[in-house]
Amino acid sequence: MAALRVLELYSGIGGMHQALRESCTYAEVVAAVDVNTLANDVYKYNFPSTPLWAKTIEGITLKEFDRLSFDMILMSPPCQPFTRLQKLPKYLLLENVKGFESSSARSELLKTLATCGFKYQEFLLSPTCLGIPNSRLRYFLIAKLHQEPFSFQAPGQILTRFPDQYPEDLLKEKVAGKVGEISSSLSSEEKNLGPNIGPDCSSKKSLPKGAFLFKLETVEEMERKHNQDSDSSIQMLKDFLEEENEEMSQYFLPPKSLLRYAFLLDIVKPTCRRSTCFTKGYGHYVEGTGSVLQTAVDVQLESVFKHIDELPEEEKLMKLSTLKLRYFTPREIANLHGFPSEFGFPEKVTVKQCYRLLGNSLNVHVVAKLISILLE
């Protein structure tokens, strides 16, 4: 049996390639394409034998495409280069951000797929559906040429919506490949929900008896976090963390950030079963770029934040410092994204650059599951 020939577009640091390996598919990546020189350095560091083309998709000629004779395209973000080909690939997997499902680009893509004879399935998935304590909601599309047996539902129907609010057993059944007859609709309430729900100071819900609302959280946020941390089907963060050592000092939040952003931070402990999406600005910008880790696990957040706004700046900083807050390391974020321990970065890549590259990457475990579904 010949190996499946795979073309990886917008290859980045190689998340799709790593997912292909994890899916145990007998395949060969015949070419990876990306214009980001730093990402290409990381890709070559981890996949040295794969041909890497540092050019834009538009810069690839029809002859170059045809010469690759590929069976599958893995890509993120979307493009439709296969429309120029004489011989279409058998399989296609596309990843993009939440919101793509309602874009005009997605409409054009679906038209192209239908014209070319593909049937497809769309998903909105987060790693939490696989028991990973990280919210990273993304749009995925898998497609297969209609000439071959195809068991997916009608084109255009998104089965999996918002995993953080979705029944866990139903979600796991879908991601395991049992997409059968199950479908769902998106309620008006769900349209306003996501993995990074921001503060909503207009909430009129009353506080549960005895509850202490600290930082800028609403009652809904507090309850959501409590429910996530109580979900035993999701692993604890401690399973993805490095051992604390002297080198960790570089990751602790500086006093200026503590004072300025204390009420906006999403603070998690190693025993938590959640973390917000890590973006490319993590470690450089504080607000909305990802969770921070409380390493002083015996200190209660409530005791630190209660009446803290009434304290002078020096005392406020002393109280916040007792939490020992630090950023997740690049290795820890890579762990949450599903990259194996042997996946690394060249020495010349800085910590800030690692954060940027990981923030633009994807979750390997989720893509591996979808590849397995696609090839069933």
Side-chain angles (χ1 to χ4, degrees):
M1 177 183 174
L4 198 68
R5 295 176 62 83
V6 178
L7 172 63
E8 188 180 7
L9 301 177
Y10 303 100
S11 50
I13 61 176
M16 291 284 190
H17 193 146
Q18 192 63 58
L20 189 67
R21 284 187 178 180
E22 185 176 310
S23 69
C24 297
T25 301
Y26 182 43
E28 173 192 5
V29 178
V30 294
V33 183
D34 204 298
V35 295
N36 187 314
T37 54
L38 187 62
N40 285 346
D41 287 341
V42 177
Y43 192 103
K44 286 186 285 189
Y45 182 80
N46 291 280
F47 309 104
S49 61
T50 300
L52 183 57
W53 297 0
K55 56 172 68 179
T56 63
I57 304 302
E58 295 78 11
I60 302 175
T61 67
L62 184 59
K63 286 185 177 180
E64 287 177 306
F65 269 127
D66 288 339
R67 199 179 299 125
L68 293 172
S69 187
F70 49 84
D71 307 299
M72 174 187 283
I73 294 178
L74 303 177
M75 59 181 173
S76 172
C79 65
Q80 297 88 43
F82 53 88
T83 58
R84 301 161 51 194
L85 304 179
Q86 302 295 322
K87 179 181 179 295
L88 296 172
K90 296 178 183 178
Y91 309 101
L92 178 70
L93 188 150
L94 178 149
E95 180 262 0
N96 211 304
V97 296
K98 167 70 182 72
F100 180 78
E101 75 283 356
S102 58
S103 68
S104 58
R106 177 247 187 182
S107 299
E108 290 302 314
L109 173 63
L110 299 190
K111 290 177 185 177
T112 302
L113 289 172
T115 300
C116 293
F118 283 85
K119 281 197 173 181
Y120 56 89
Q121 183 61 60
E122 298 173 288
F123 300 84
L124 285 171
L125 293 171
S126 183
T128 52
C129 68
L130 295 179
I132 301 167
N134 180 238
S135 296
R136 192 177 182 83
L137 189 63
R138 291 293 183 269
Y139 167 92
F140 295 94
L141 177 144
I142 53 178
K144 186 187 296 186
L145 272 180
H146 188 36
Q147 290 92 312
E148 302 203 359
F150 197 86
S151 59
F152 299 148
Q153 291 195 356
Q157 187 174 25
I158 298 179
L159 291 189
T160 307
R161 294 285 180 179
F162 292 88
D164 292 332
Q165 289 82 33
Y166 214 91
E168 190 68 26
D169 54 345
L170 182 60
L171 197 66
K172 285 184 177 179
E173 184 177 34
K174 291 174 185 176
V175 180
K178 303 173 184 177
V179 287
E181 299 295 324
I182 303 172
S183 65
S184 64
S185 60
L186 186 64
S187 69
S188 58
E189 181 181 4
E190 283 178 310
K191 290 178 182 178
N192 297 319
L193 296 177
N196 294 315
I197 305 175
D200 178 11
C201 298
S202 64
S203 172
K204 295 182 180 180
K205 280 193 175 183
S206 60
L207 282 168
K209 186 177 180 181
F212 173 69
L213 199 62
F214 58 93
K215 302 199 303 172
L216 294 181
E217 293 181 319
T218 62
V219 179
E220 292 91 333
E221 287 178 292
M222 185 174 63
E223 291 177 343
R224 174 177 59 83
K225 290 179 178 181
H226 174 74
N227 291 336
Q228 288 176 319
D229 288 334
S230 302
D231 187 351
S232 59
S233 68
I234 298 178
Q235 291 177 265
M236 292 184 179
L237 285 169
K238 64 181 181 181
D239 297 332
F240 300 83
L241 302 179
E242 296 187 88
E243 288 188 18
E244 295 291 331
N245 54 57
E246 292 181 1
E247 294 182 4
M248 290 296 182
S249 60
Q250 65 179 304
Y251 299 105
F252 281 89
L253 272 70
K256 185 178 179 180
S257 295
L258 284 176
L259 289 171
R260 184 174 181 180
Y261 299 105
F263 290 89
L264 300 174
L265 295 171
D266 180 67
I267 301 171
V268 294
K269 292 183 178 181
T271 52
C272 287
R273 302 177 188 272
R274 60 178 176 82
S275 60
T276 56
C277 180
F278 296 102
T279 73
K280 65 180 182 180
Y282 191 70
H284 180 61
Y285 299 105
V286 179
E287 185 179 354
T289 59
S291 302
V292 296
L293 186 69
Q294 177 187 336
T295 58
V297 294
D298 295 330
V299 180
Q300 296 300 313
L301 279 176
E302 290 85 349
S303 66
V304 172
F305 279 92
K306 195 169 187 178
H307 306 307
I308 194 172
D309 54 338
E310 302 170 6
L311 299 176
E313 192 170 277
E314 187 175 338
E315 290 183 41
K316 186 184 296 185
L317 181 59
M318 285 181 62
K319 291 200 75 173
L320 291 170
S321 297
T322 62
L323 295 170
K324 296 184 179 179
L325 300 179
R326 70 164 175 84
Y327 293 108
F328 284 74
T329 69
R331 181 63 256 172
E332 290 167 342
I333 296 176
N335 291 342
L336 286 165
H337 283 1
F339 287 95
S341 57
E342 61 268 21
F343 186 95
F345 293 87
E347 288 187 10
K348 69 176 183 179
V349 180
T350 66
V351 170
K352 182 179 177 180
Q353 290 171 329
C354 285
Y355 284 139
R356 289 186 64 84
L357 292 169
L358 288 166
N360 284 327
S361 190
L362 45 78
N363 189 281
V364 171
H365 296 319
V366 173
V367 176
K369 286 289 185 183
L370 290 175
I371 291 174
S372 297
I373 294 173
L374 178 60
L375 297 178
E376 281 184 346

